[in-house]
Amino acid sequence: TIMEKNRETKLVAITSMLIAVVFLTIAYAVFSKSLNIQNISATVKANEANFKVLFSSSNTGVVDGLVNYSFISGNGTVPFQGTIDNSNSASPRISGLGATFKEPGATVQYRFYAINQGSYDAYLKKVEFGNATSATVHKKCTAKSGASQALVNQACDGIRFYVNVTNANDAVGSSKDDITSTTTYTNRLLKKGEFSAIFILIDYSSSAALADGDFDVEFGDITLDYSTQDT
């Protein structure tokens, strides 16, 4: 009959729709996507300002200003006052150390400190003597008015300049090196918060030749190189 044909048509239509849905479901189910994150990296930049070794006139903290002599011998020796300047923490400096000697057999010694105020341990790598005149001569003696330069040169041989760098926390200098030229080091550790005493000694030997007048002595700069690495 017509009603039965219509019912069959509906069933066929419904069945066809169900098959289509199944096919669609299967078709969509086979799709997938992979998202990849590659070449992951990061750069960490150290702050050089955290590596800080400064000069001080005290071993209890950083004290700028004047450096007075710690030892003097010989008649007529007049020591100068040096000055500590840490205003540029990347390049601390001491200037003005010296003495006036009126006769041989005189010595003046200064004591100050290197203090590790940074966030890293520091290693003393080198004490470098600058050049007053040439690559091999670290002092220069100049005759003043009325003095013979030849005699001054002979007297100049008897004037020596020493740098003594102690091990960490050695405030009295019982462990030190007498340095008269550029010297390199290994295993000279200055830990965070520790100090190292530094002695500057100027000696006018009692056996030095006599000049026949006044003369000036100029020494080259001294540089202490510290590093975060020992090698």
Side-chain angles (χ1 to χ4, degrees):
T1 63
I2 296 175
M3 291 183 62
E4 289 176 347
K5 288 184 178 181
N6 289 338
R7 185 171 58 186
E8 289 176 358
T9 302
K10 289 179 181 179
L11 288 173
V12 170
I14 292 171
T15 301
S16 298
M17 289 177 64
L18 289 174
I19 292 172
V21 169
V22 170
F23 277 123
L24 286 174
T25 302
I26 293 173
Y28 281 115
V30 298
F31 286 105
S32 65
K33 177 69 71 175
S34 296
L35 302 178
N36 296 320
I37 300 176
Q38 298 177 335
N39 299 325
I40 302 171
S41 64
T43 300
V44 179
K45 293 187 176 181
N47 186 351
E48 189 175 354
N50 291 329
F51 183 67
K52 188 183 298 183
V53 179
L54 303 176
F55 286 129
S56 176
S57 60
S58 169
N59 62 352
T60 60
V62 177
V63 180
D64 290 11
L66 297 179
V67 178
N68 292 311
Y69 68 92
S70 59
F71 174 79
I72 188 172
S73 68
N75 295 328
T77 305
V78 181
F80 300 165
Q81 285 185 317
T83 303
I84 294 174
D85 181 5
N86 289 313
S87 58
N88 181 0
S89 60
S91 182
R93 64 181 59 246
I94 295 178
S95 60
L97 299 178
T100 298
F101 296 140
K102 295 186 178 180
E103 59 184 19
T107 299
V108 62
Q109 176 180 270
Y110 295 87
R111 179 175 62 191
F112 49 92
Y113 304 91
I115 296 184
N116 187 351
Q117 288 282 295
S119 303
Y120 302 93
D121 289 343
Y123 292 89
L124 177 63
K125 300 297 295 179
K126 181 168 64 174
V127 176
E128 185 173 6
F129 276 58
N131 302 320
T133 57
S134 69
T136 57
V137 180
H138 301 291
K139 64 182 174 182
K140 178 182 179 182
C141 295
T142 304
K144 302 186 79 169
S145 179
S148 164
Q149 185 63 51
L151 292 177
V152 165
N153 290 340
Q154 295 178 28
C156 189
D157 292 337
I159 298 177
R160 301 297 299 273
F161 184 96
Y162 299 90
V163 180
N164 301 322
V165 182
T166 70
N167 292 322
N169 292 338
D170 182 3
V172 296
S174 59
S175 175
K176 61 188 180 183
D177 306 304
D178 288 332
I179 307 167
T180 58
S181 61
T182 296
T183 303
T184 57
Y185 294 95
T186 57
N187 198 32
R188 292 297 294 267
L189 174 62
L190 185 62
K191 293 182 179 180
K192 294 178 290 184
E194 291 190 341
F195 65 87
S196 177
I198 301 169
F199 295 84
I200 299 294
L201 185 142
I202 307 171
D203 179 64
Y204 188 11
S205 173
S206 58
S207 60
L210 293 176
D212 58 351
D214 296 343
F215 62 97
D216 293 327
V217 183
E218 177 188 354
F219 293 96
D221 294 340
I222 307 298
T223 303
L224 280 70
D225 290 338
Y226 285 88
S227 173
T228 56
Q229 300 183 38
D230 191 32
T231 57

